DNA sequence: TGACCCATGTAAGGGGTTACATGATTTG
DNA sequence: CAAATCATGTAACCCCTTACATGGGTCA
């Protein structure tokens, strides 16, 4: 519902091409907003047609031509309007939890493997977020001040991943407790 | 992507009507899977056409007639197949974080109000999850054993909400730090 | 030489929300 | 007496994913 506005925000701080934005989604906002390149290109088209964006074609020699998008005054106004409007809390749809919920119908081994896969992903995400945080703390005070709000979203990512991994440990303990039956080597 | 399978799981443990399932989503799996009634009815239709569900019409006197759905053997097989297949990690699209990210373009007051709204929702969710957990701990051991896996998903909800609220406190501190400029009452 | 980066799109289909539609019964 | 509960659906629309399509430049 707010890919539109995520794009407006990114372009407000710096104009860029669709490819540009796609990368910024992947690297920057990736831990709280995801978008495929197809979706970004389509949305840019729509936002231009709505009059919120303008672009100039930019021919390049060694690289493919690109379109450089920037906010129009109408786009800026729309962004401010949206910021004043309440956003509705996120609803969560988490397939892993659906699977766990039904865990009694499959093997503990299967669940453990699944958890291992997800743990690896979450650990990697956490590592990269922590490294971004270290960079942030290394910045001079004025730059930190300017990045104050994005930093808060980074904190959400970090606390969220840490909490997820803490939960994963609980799950692993619980899955171990049930295993002795299937691997009765101990006694 | 797995509303289908969430429905199969719910019907596997107990047959029921669309309305039934809708309520179970709201009360039971609500903290990790959400669905509107329209979506549930549509999905039941599709699952029946796919041969994974069967239903018998049930006429009632004082209440509207309903359709009682249950798993077919094919539906059961599909559920097992799905449980053996890896699920891909959740991608997060969180509009509140988009708004915070752009927070520098709006007033701290606006952000604080927004946060208050969300905090109220998350506190309420946490309270209800904790109350479900208390009920769980009050159950006899065999029933707890049977609900082992659903309990793990409950724990995810609890840890997740606690972590969210912890983050919200960080945000409130950060937003207060910036306020003295706009409310210079202190000195 | 194969993989990855740059750069942009179309098309089909699946998933989800919002609006519309109906109507009796129970509870506060 | 109003609101919530029981009970089921259709239609329009938006959002998102997956597959397809193209093609040069750079790096290991």
């Amino acid at each position: 519902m707010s890919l539109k506005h995520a794009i407006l925000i990114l372009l407000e701080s710096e104009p860029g091409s669709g490819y540009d934005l796609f990368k910024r989604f992947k690297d920057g906002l990736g831990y709280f907003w995801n978008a495929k390149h197809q979706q970004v290109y389509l949305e840019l088209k729509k936002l231009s047609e709505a009059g919120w964006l303008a672009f100039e074609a930019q021919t390049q020699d060694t690289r493919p031509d690109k379109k450089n998008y920037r906010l129009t005054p109408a786009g800026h106004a729309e962004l401010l309007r949206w910021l004043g409007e309440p956003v509705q809390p996120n609803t969560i749809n988490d397939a892993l939890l659906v699977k766990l919920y039904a865990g009694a119908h499959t093997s503990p081994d299967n669940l453990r493997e699944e958890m291992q896969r997800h743990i690896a992903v979450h650990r990697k995400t956490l590592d990269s977020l922590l490294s971004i945080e270290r960079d942030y703390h290394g910045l001079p005070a004025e730059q930190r001040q300017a990045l104050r709000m994005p930093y808060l979203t980074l904190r959400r990512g970090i606390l969220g991943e840490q909490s997820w991994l803490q939960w994963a440990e609980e799950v692993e303990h619980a899955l171990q407790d049930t295993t002795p039956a299937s691997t009765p080597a101990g006694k």
Side-chain angles (χ1 to χ4, degrees), chain A:
Chain A
M1 230 265 96
S2 48
L3 172 61
K4 281 180 182 37
H5 299 99
I7 289 177
L8 291 180
I9 286 158
L10 287 176
L11 290 178
E12 155 98 353
S13 66
E14 199 185 345
S17 67
Y19 190 79
D20 249 7
L21 287 171
F22 172 58
K23 273 192 308 174
R24 289 198 237 167
F25 274 113
K26 269 206 324 191
D27 304 338
L29 296 80
Y31 50 96
F32 63 85
W33 202 273
N34 294 275
K36 314 262 174 190
H37 77 269
Q38 295 93 329
Q39 211 187 337
V40 171
Y41 286 120
L42 220 57
E43 205 60 50
L44 285 170
K45 203 179 168 187
K46 281 192 207 163
L47 291 173
S48 300
E49 282 163 8
W52 293 345
L53 298 182
F55 67 91
E56 26 178 324
Q58 209 174 303
T59 57
Q60 298 183 124
D61 289 341
T62 69
R63 291 168 184 286
D65 298 351
K66 62 176 178 176
K67 295 178 182 173
N68 219 281
Y69 288 89
R70 55 183 171 69
L71 284 205
T72 62
H76 183 76
E78 167 57 23
L79 178 54
L80 293 185
R81 189 201 63 73
W82 182 75
L83 284 171
E85 199 185 54
V87 288
Q88 64 203 45
N90 249 25
T91 60
I92 299 163
N93 282 22
D94 190 332
L96 176 63
L97 292 178
V98 172
K99 192 168 177 179
L100 255 193
Y101 188 90
H105 299 288
T106 186
S107 73
D109 274 352
N110 176 32
L111 294 177
R112 238 176 277 127
E113 276 168 38
E114 185 79 81
M115 285 302 295
Q116 285 310 319
R117 265 192 296 274
H118 287 258
I119 286 169
V121 172
H122 283 274
R123 266 211 255 274
K124 213 178 145 190
T125 305
L126 178 58
D127 282 350
S128 95
L129 295 181
L130 287 175
S131 130
I132 297 174
E133 190 181 34
R134 275 193 298 275
D135 292 347
Y136 173 81
H137 285 308
L139 293 174
E142 312 104 61
Q143 282 184 48
R144 281 211 311 278
Q145 175 66 9
L147 292 173
R148 226 170 62 248
M149 304 310 296
Y151 176 64
L152 290 178
T153 67
L154 177 66
R155 288 295 300 165
R156 176 71 202 109
I158 290 170
L159 292 173
E161 292 300 335
Q162 284 171 342
S163 156
W164 195 96
L165 288 166
Q166 190 188 332
W167 170 75
E169 278 181 33
E170 282 192 18
V171 174
E172 287 198 298
H173 284 305
L175 292 177
Q176 267 162 26
D177 289 352
T178 59
T179 321
S182 53
T183 56
K187 222 179 190 175

